[in-house]
Amino acid sequence: MVAPGSVTSRLGSVFPFLLVLVDLQYEGAECGVNADVEKHLELGKKLLAAGQLADALSQFHAAVDGDPDNYIAYYRRATVFLAMGKSKAALPDLTKVIELKMDFTAARLQRGHLLLKQGKLDEAEDDFKKVLKSNPSENEEKEAQSQLIKSDEMQRLRSQALDAFESADYTAAITFLDKILEVCVWDAELRELRAECFIREGEPRKAISDLKAASKLKNDNTEAFYKISTLYYQLGDHELSLRYTDATGKYESVMKTEPSIAEYTVRSKERICHCFSKDEKPVEAIRICSEVLQMEPDNVNALKDRAEAYLIEEMYDEAIQDYETAQEHNENDQQIREGLEKAQRLLKQSQKRDYYKILGVKRNAKKQEIIKAYRKLALQWHPDNFQNEEEKKKAEKKFIDIAAAKEVLSDPEMRKKFDDGEDPLDAESQQGGGGNPFHRSWNSWQGFNPFSSGGPFRFKFHFN
């Protein structure tokens, strides 16, 4: 009897014909089994029944090595592979079983089932028909007939899906493909077809899900990798950093898989350049964008992305040059025009007071980094730390600049204005502004607490 909770019982509930594994008997002479091989087979069968799959697999490996013509060893190893979810590894073993013993209906039935899941409908039907012609048991006959009916249904649905796709009725095609993929779950081509339907229906995330599955089902699936990367690229600014990292990895896979195709290399690098730029990795972006521009000096996308990276690195002259070059090739691009204007404002601003430089942080610094840098500098330049009058005046000015930088950069609205090239504390930058509140004498800052999380007008701090 098979224990209700055993691995074999669970397999049997999915593939009823696999129960033949436990009850299968064979003659040693027929299989050519020597004593050692028989021990491996028996021990492997017990380990499999106990759910110790890795140990069972080792025993069946040893049995196959000991007797390469033993069909039972291949069949049992295939069963372990299936229990481990490794159908690709199981298929060659089942084929070997059928080669060694043509009338082994259990192996042929199981192979047909796997072929059906892979969407190889003609090959699956051939196996099921041969099972029916080989004097099968009652259960095997029922199973083969059931699978044949299912395969015929999949053939019909596939034809309908292809017709709908050719007619540009992508909604209908998706409906048919949904039904097929419930049965043919490992069919990479049908998943790619459904992904294409999703793309044309404007559902890129669903397409990515199918393409990821297809890339795993088919070895060296360069086309799937390329489409995934392109979709991530098109999703653009709305995606998280993880998306950009994932997209970058896919594009790198494309280049490794097809290194001899120049077009793939250039387009992949162009998109990696974009991902690095949007993910605020300016050094990497500048490097890869420059490689693209060496191959295509007029590549507007690479010029724009490198310009954005230059802005993060505060290389304003270089950014302006890239935007101007891009504008020569596409003068109507609003993104280029706005980027150029921003770069020019930032260059002008950098010649005045730069709050990022005052705190010693990068332009993409997080708020926590800004507060941390502010507190450190506030401690260092606190006027009470200085006794010499000249040094004290210098510290007062430095301390006020530090407070101003913290006030601007820790406030989202003020920081955005500053990032756009406008100093929110500069009277010249403000219409009807009343001057810079930070440019006061040190006495007006009596009561200032540099360690508060609020603005400079709510502090209470008493100097000695």
Side-chain angles (χ1 to χ4, degrees):
M1 294 293 292
V2 179
S6 68
V7 170
T8 307
S9 174
R10 292 197 300 273
L11 279 171
S13 66
V14 181
F15 310 129
F17 38 89
L18 280 183
L19 288 177
V20 71
L21 171 69
V22 174
D23 298 324
L24 190 63
Q25 300 296 322
Y26 60 90
E27 295 296 330
E30 179 185 349
C31 299
V33 180
N34 58 41
D36 287 338
V37 171
E38 188 170 359
K39 287 180 181 177
H40 288 307
L41 288 172
E42 286 301 314
L43 181 54
K45 185 172 72 171
K46 291 177 182 178
L47 290 167
L48 174 59
Q52 297 173 249
L53 302 181
D55 292 335
L57 187 61
S58 296
Q59 294 299 321
F60 295 140
H61 279 322
V64 169
D65 292 339
D67 186 358
D69 293 327
N70 188 315
Y71 70 89
I72 296 297
Y74 287 106
Y75 183 71
R76 288 184 175 169
R77 187 169 71 176
T79 305
V80 177
F81 280 136
L82 290 171
M84 298 174 83
K86 299 180 178 180
S87 61
K88 286 184 179 179
L91 201 54
D93 274 359
L94 291 170
T95 299
K96 186 68 176 178
V97 172
I98 295 167
E99 289 175 1
L100 293 169
K101 190 170 177 58
M102 296 288 290
D103 61 347
F104 198 153
T105 54
R108 193 178 289 280
L109 193 56
Q110 178 57 32
R111 187 177 70 172
H113 189 87
L114 294 179
L115 291 170
L116 181 60
K117 285 194 168 189
Q118 291 180 350
K120 298 178 180 178
L121 303 181
D122 292 336
E123 296 176 46
E125 287 181 3
D126 183 62
D127 269 343
F128 297 139
K129 289 175 181 177
K130 285 181 178 177
V131 168
L132 294 174
K133 294 178 180 178
S134 61
N135 298 318
S137 67
E138 184 179 346
N139 285 338
E140 288 172 340
E141 183 177 0
K142 286 181 179 179
E143 184 65 29
Q145 288 175 340
S146 172
Q147 295 298 312
L148 265 177
I149 293 170
K150 190 179 292 184
S151 181
D152 287 342
E153 176 68 5
M154 295 306 104
Q155 293 276 26
R156 183 181 63 80
L157 287 170
R158 174 180 279 178
S159 296
Q160 290 176 313
L162 293 173
D163 289 343
F165 183 81
E166 290 298 323
S167 302
D169 188 353
Y170 305 117
T171 301
I174 290 169
T175 301
F176 293 130
L177 290 167
D178 287 345
K179 293 178 181 178
I180 301 172
L181 287 167
E182 288 177 5
V183 176
C184 305
V185 291
W186 300 327
D187 191 323
E189 291 181 1
L190 290 182
R191 287 195 177 274
E192 289 178 9
L193 181 62
R194 188 169 68 175
E196 187 62 31
C197 292
F198 282 136
I199 291 170
R200 300 190 187 194
E201 285 290 289
E203 298 188 76
R205 287 179 178 79
K206 290 183 179 180
I208 288 171
S209 178
D210 267 344
L211 289 169
K212 281 186 175 181
S215 69
K216 294 176 182 177
L217 290 168
K218 190 162 64 177
N219 294 332
D220 299 326
N221 196 341
T222 306
E223 187 64 27
F225 280 132
Y226 190 79
K227 284 185 177 180
I228 291 169
S229 307
T230 301
L231 288 170
Y232 277 136
Y233 177 77
Q234 291 171 349
L235 286 169
D237 295 345
H238 304 291
E239 292 305 299
L240 300 173
S241 174
L242 181 61
R243 301 284 189 188
Y244 289 119
T245 302
D246 197 358
T248 299
K250 299 299 184 186
Y251 282 121
E252 288 172 347
S253 297
V254 170
M255 290 192 291
K256 289 177 183 177
T257 307
E258 298 290 354
S260 60
I261 301 179
E263 180 65 15
Y264 275 170
T265 299
V266 176
R267 297 285 78 80
S268 294
K269 285 190 174 184
E270 177 189 331
R271 286 158 172 77
I272 291 172
C273 154
H274 176 79
C275 291
F276 279 143
S277 177
K278 292 300 181 185
D279 201 19
E280 295 190 343
K281 296 179 179 177
V283 176
E284 295 92 332
I286 291 168
R287 174 181 58 79
I288 200 77
C289 291
S290 298
E291 291 179 12
V292 174
L293 290 166
Q294 285 178 354
M295 295 180 281
E296 293 183 350
D298 300 336
N299 189 311
V300 173
N301 290 328
L303 284 166
K304 289 195 294 185
D305 287 326
R306 189 171 70 173
E308 286 189 27
Y310 278 142
L311 289 181
I312 297 173
E313 287 292 283
E314 301 174 17
M315 300 170 70
Y316 304 123
D317 288 318
E318 290 84 350
I320 289 170
Q321 184 177 345
D322 272 358
Y323 278 129
E324 288 177 341
T325 304
Q327 196 170 52
E328 290 173 7
H329 299 289
N330 193 345
E331 59 184 18
N332 296 320
D333 189 318
Q334 185 177 352
Q335 186 182 12
I336 295 173
R337 185 166 58 253
E338 291 175 353
L340 178 57
E341 291 172 357
K342 179 179 179 179
Q344 291 169 337
R345 286 197 306 271
L346 288 172
L347 176 61
K348 183 179 178 181
Q349 184 187 85
S350 69
Q351 296 164 351
K352 297 181 180 180
R353 181 167 56 172
D354 189 328
Y355 296 125
Y356 290 103
K357 286 184 178 179
I358 289 172
L359 292 184
V361 297
K362 290 193 173 183
R363 298 191 76 87
N364 60 349
K366 301 290 187 289
K367 185 175 181 178
Q368 295 90 331
E369 298 175 67
I370 290 166
I371 298 299
K372 183 178 179 181
Y374 160 72
R375 287 174 175 168
K376 180 179 178 182
L377 290 170
L379 276 174
Q380 180 183 344
W381 291 99
H382 196 297
D384 283 356
N385 295 334
F386 302 88
Q387 302 302 319
N388 181 280
E389 193 63 30
E390 195 64 33
E391 290 181 348
K392 197 177 190 72
K393 286 183 180 180
K394 179 182 176 182
E396 287 177 1
K397 183 181 183 305
K398 188 79 173 176
F399 193 78
I400 289 171
D401 284 342
I402 292 166
K406 180 255 185 184
E407 183 70 7
V408 171
L409 299 184
S410 62
D411 182 284
E413 290 185 13
M414 295 176 76
R415 183 176 181 179
K416 185 179 186 306
K417 285 184 178 181
F418 186 75
D419 286 344
D420 289 338
E422 175 187 335
D423 188 343
L425 302 182
D426 187 349
E428 294 180 3
S429 299
Q430 308 294 314
Q431 291 184 349
N436 187 344
F438 288 92
H439 287 170
R440 303 179 181 180
S441 68
W442 174 248
N443 292 333
S444 67
W445 284 88
Q446 200 79 344
F448 178 62
N449 179 2
F451 308 107
S452 167
S453 59
F457 303 105
R458 297 192 292 271
F459 300 128
K460 292 182 180 179
F461 189 91
H462 299 288
F463 300 112
N464 293 328

